[in-house]
Amino acid sequence: MNTLSYLTVDVFTSTRFEGNPLAVISDARGLSDAAMQKIATEFNYSEVTFVLPPEDPRNSARVRIFTPTMEIPFAGHPNVGTAYVLGQQAELFGRPVGEKLRFEEKAGIVEVDLKRSGGNVAAAAIRAPQPLTVGDTIAEETVGRCISLDPGVIVTTTHAPVFASVGLNFAVAELKGLESLAAARPNLAGFQAAAGRQTTSGHDFSLFVYARSADNPWNIRARMFAPLDNVPEDPATGSASAALGAYLVSLAPDADMDVRITIEQGVEMGRRSIIALDVVKSGGIVADVVISGRCVSVMRGEIILQD
C-alpha cells in the first residue's frame, strides 16, 4: 500500500482549533496535478499545499497551493503554515533548513523568515511576491447582493469597493461597523452574477469585507467569502489582508510610512485569527508588505494512494 504523509496546522493562531486549518504535504514528488486537486478537494480546507524540490537550487522548495476547486498562484495562510511545518524539519530535499526560506510559486518567489521560541518554530513571516495592483471598482449593489446586505452599509469615504492584489486578486469593501459585518451572509447567486460581470485573476470572485474605527484605523476586523471556490467563509486570509493593508496605506496622505496593521478574522465563525501586516511606503509608493502569524500543529497522518 502506497501512502503519503501529511500534517495539518492551524494558522494565524496559537490555539488549536482556531485560526485557519491547512494541510501540508511536505514531499509531493510523484503526484500528478489531478491527484493534488483530488486530495485538496477531499480535505475541503480553504487550501492545501504540496511541496516539491525547487527548480532553481538557490531556492528552498516549490510550493503549489490548491483550493477545493483549483490551483491558485499565491495565498497567505498556506505560506505561513507551510513554512512553519518545513521549519521543524532538519532537512528539506537534502539541504539543511535555515532561518530563511524561499518558495517558488506561480505568483513569483515568496521569501520567508522563521520565528523561533525556545528553539522551536512558533511563527513565520512572508513577503508578498508582487507589488500592489488596484483594478476596477465594483458597484455597491453588487457587493450588497453578494453578502445579503443593503448597499447603504457599504462605506465609500476612503475607497469604493475595488479589486486589489499583491499576488492574488480580491474584491475589498468597507462596511459600516461590526454589526453590519456580523450580519453579512454569502449569497451564491450574487457571487455567480458578480463573477459573470467582473474580471479577476488566479481564482474565482472572492470578497473581503472589513470594518474599522476612526479611533484605531489600523486595527481591522474582516471576513472573507469565496463560495465559488467552495469556501463559503474563510477564517484567515493573509493574501487578502495584505492586499487590503497595502491599498489602505497607499491611500494615506503621508508619502513615507512604516505601519503595523492587525487584522482580526474568523471571529464570527468561532475560529479567531490574528494576522499581522508590516507595510512600508516610500515616496508615495507601497514598497514592501510582510504578512506574519503564529501557528500550531493539530494532526498528522497518511493519505492512501493505492491499495
Side-chain angles (χ1 to χ4, degrees):
M1 181 184 295
N2 292 329
T3 59
L4 185 69
S5 296
Y6 71 86
L7 181 71
T8 76
V9 292
D10 287 337
V11 184
F12 294 123
T13 183
S14 55
T15 303
R16 287 202 308 155
F17 312 119
E18 294 187 7
N20 200 353
L22 173 76
V24 179
I25 288 82
S26 57
D27 187 351
R29 286 177 287 186
L31 282 182
S32 66
D33 293 5
M36 291 182 191
Q37 185 61 74
K38 287 180 179 178
I39 291 168
T41 302
E42 182 73 12
F43 271 106
N44 205 34
Y45 289 171
S46 54
E47 285 100 5
V48 175
T49 59
F50 299 85
V51 183
L52 297 159
E55 294 180 348
D56 184 335
R58 292 175 298 178
N59 301 322
S60 307
R62 183 159 66 102
V63 177
R64 299 182 65 180
I65 306 169
F66 285 77
T67 76
T69 61
M70 66 175 64
E71 185 174 9
I72 57 175
F74 169 73
H77 107 274
N79 274 293
V80 171
T82 300
Y84 172 80
V85 170
L86 299 181
Q88 297 178 71
Q89 300 179 180
E91 292 186 343
L92 181 58
F93 301 118
R95 296 193 302 180
V97 175
E99 299 306 298
K100 294 182 181 294
L101 300 172
R102 284 169 57 90
F103 293 158
E104 298 171 353
E105 299 183 13
K106 286 183 175 291
I109 300 298
V110 176
E111 299 177 347
V112 182
D113 287 307
L114 298 174
K115 310 294 183 183
R116 297 185 186 271
S117 176
N120 299 315
V121 178
I126 65 168
R127 179 163 277 106
Q130 295 179 5
L132 171 68
T133 58
V134 180
D136 296 337
T137 59
I138 305 158
E140 294 153 52
E141 292 76 14
T142 297
V143 173
R145 279 193 297 270
C146 284
I147 52 176
S148 311
L149 293 179
D150 187 289
V153 304
I154 298 164
V155 179
T156 59
T157 309
T158 304
H159 66 88
V162 69
F163 287 110
S165 172
V166 289
L168 190 63
N169 211 25
F170 289 88
V172 297
E174 183 176 1
L175 302 184
K176 191 181 296 182
L178 295 179
E179 185 175 335
S180 296
L181 190 68
R185 298 291 182 272
N187 172 14
L188 182 59
F191 275 87
Q192 289 169 332
R197 288 193 302 271
Q198 306 286 343
T199 58
T200 185
S201 62
H203 64 155
D204 289 319
F205 184 90
S206 301
L207 177 60
F208 195 61
V209 292
Y210 70 97
R212 60 177 180 163
S213 69
D215 295 337
N216 203 346
W218 300 119
N219 276 14
I220 294 169
R221 172 85 68 84
R223 300 178 72 182
M224 204 288 285
F225 303 101
L228 299 181
D229 285 330
N230 263 13
V231 182
E233 183 169 358
D234 196 29
T237 318
S239 48
S241 296
L244 173 65
Y247 183 48
L248 292 176
V249 170
S250 77
L251 296 175
D254 295 1
D256 300 291
M257 299 177 70
D258 189 344
V259 183
R260 165 57 69 99
I261 302 172
T262 301
I263 295 186
E264 186 181 30
Q265 192 180 333
V267 174
E268 292 79 6
M269 303 174 65
R271 296 196 66 102
R272 182 173 181 262
S273 306
I274 300 295
I275 301 165
L277 303 172
D278 291 289
V279 183
V280 176
K281 183 165 72 167
S282 178
I285 304 296
V286 173
D288 194 34
V289 183
V290 174
I291 310 155
S292 58
R294 300 181 68 85
C295 301
V296 60
S297 298
V298 181
M299 296 185 291
R300 65 175 69 246
E302 293 181 330
I303 299 164
I304 301 169
L305 295 179
Q306 63 182 39
D307 292 333

